[in-house]
Amino acid sequence: MKRLLTLMLALALALGVCGAMAEASGLPPYSYPFADEEPILAAVANYMVTAEEFGYTPEEGGVLIPAPIVLKMDVNEDETQAKVYGNFWLFAYKLEGKILMCTAGGECPGVMQLEKKDGAWAVTSLEVAEEGEAFEASIKKLAGGDEALEKEYAVSSDATEGYLPQYRRAFVLAYAQANELDIEAFQDYGWDPVSITD
């Protein structure tokens, strides 16, 4: 009887420690959940949450979730090189109840070069638009004279009326589902929550 009680106490203690560790570890890191179906987009999204040049770090227990808006993609004939034109939005979140609260984020219009090696795509370089007065000229340069693509870059920069709201919602929803998290919405400071369950 004493041995059974000791085993039960040890098990209860172990379960308590495991629960505390899971709680302390916070949100799981982001990984693109549809890598098999969209390997190039997976390489783009996963690069965004690990590359230092984006300059965002989540708070302790938080997570980075990308919302890349792909405007154009060129893949060479033997499918070993790719060029992705897009606005690579990235957001840092922390969980409060069932809402992901945004703690930082922003856009990064640019062009990514990717290469396929040993069956896996990887980003090899990122060229980004310049800020300030040089922004429009650098967008023209990135678009390479494609006026329609220039307009797409402009639409992708509109955080409220452009493409971003639908992309952001889709990426947050996919993250929540892939990790089986009870998340109902995300929210920016000073704005109403945006439901992902509607």
Side-chain angles (χ1 to χ4, degrees), residues 140-154:
K140 284 181 181 292
K141 182 182 172 188
L142 291 174
D146 184 336
E147 292 183 7
L149 183 55
E150 286 178 38
K151 290 176 183 175
E152 291 293 289
Y153 272 113

Side-chain angles (χ1 to χ4, degrees), residues 68-72 84-89 108-112 126-127 139 142 149 153 156:
I69 301 172
V70 174
L71 304 173
K72 180 181 174 184
V84 177
Y85 302 80
N87 199 338
F88 307 107
W89 288 85
C108 183
V111 179
M112 284 190 190
L126 169 63
E127 183 181 0
I139 288 291
L142 291 174
L149 183 55
Y153 272 113
S156 74

Side-chain angles (χ1 to χ4, degrees), residues 101-103 186-194:
M101 298 297 297
C102 183
T103 57
F186 64 86
Q187 185 173 1
D188 293 328
Y189 180 77
W191 291 78
D192 292 332
V194 177

Side-chain angles (χ1 to χ4, degrees), residues 2-3 49-50 52 107 113 159 186:
K2 190 180 275 187
R3 184 179 292 168
V49 298
T50 57
E52 291 182 3
E107 66 174 330
Q113 299 274 359
F186 64 86

Side-chain angles (χ1 to χ4, degrees), residues 103-124:
T103 57
E107 66 174 330
C108 183
V111 179
M112 284 190 190
Q113 299 274 359
L114 295 93
E115 188 173 24
K116 190 176 185 181
K117 283 186 178 177
D118 301 321
W121 286 97
V123 175
T124 57

Side-chain angles (χ1 to χ4, degrees), residues 31-42:
S31 181
Y32 188 71
F34 312 112
D36 291 340
E37 297 88 358
E38 300 173 303
I40 294 176
L41 186 54

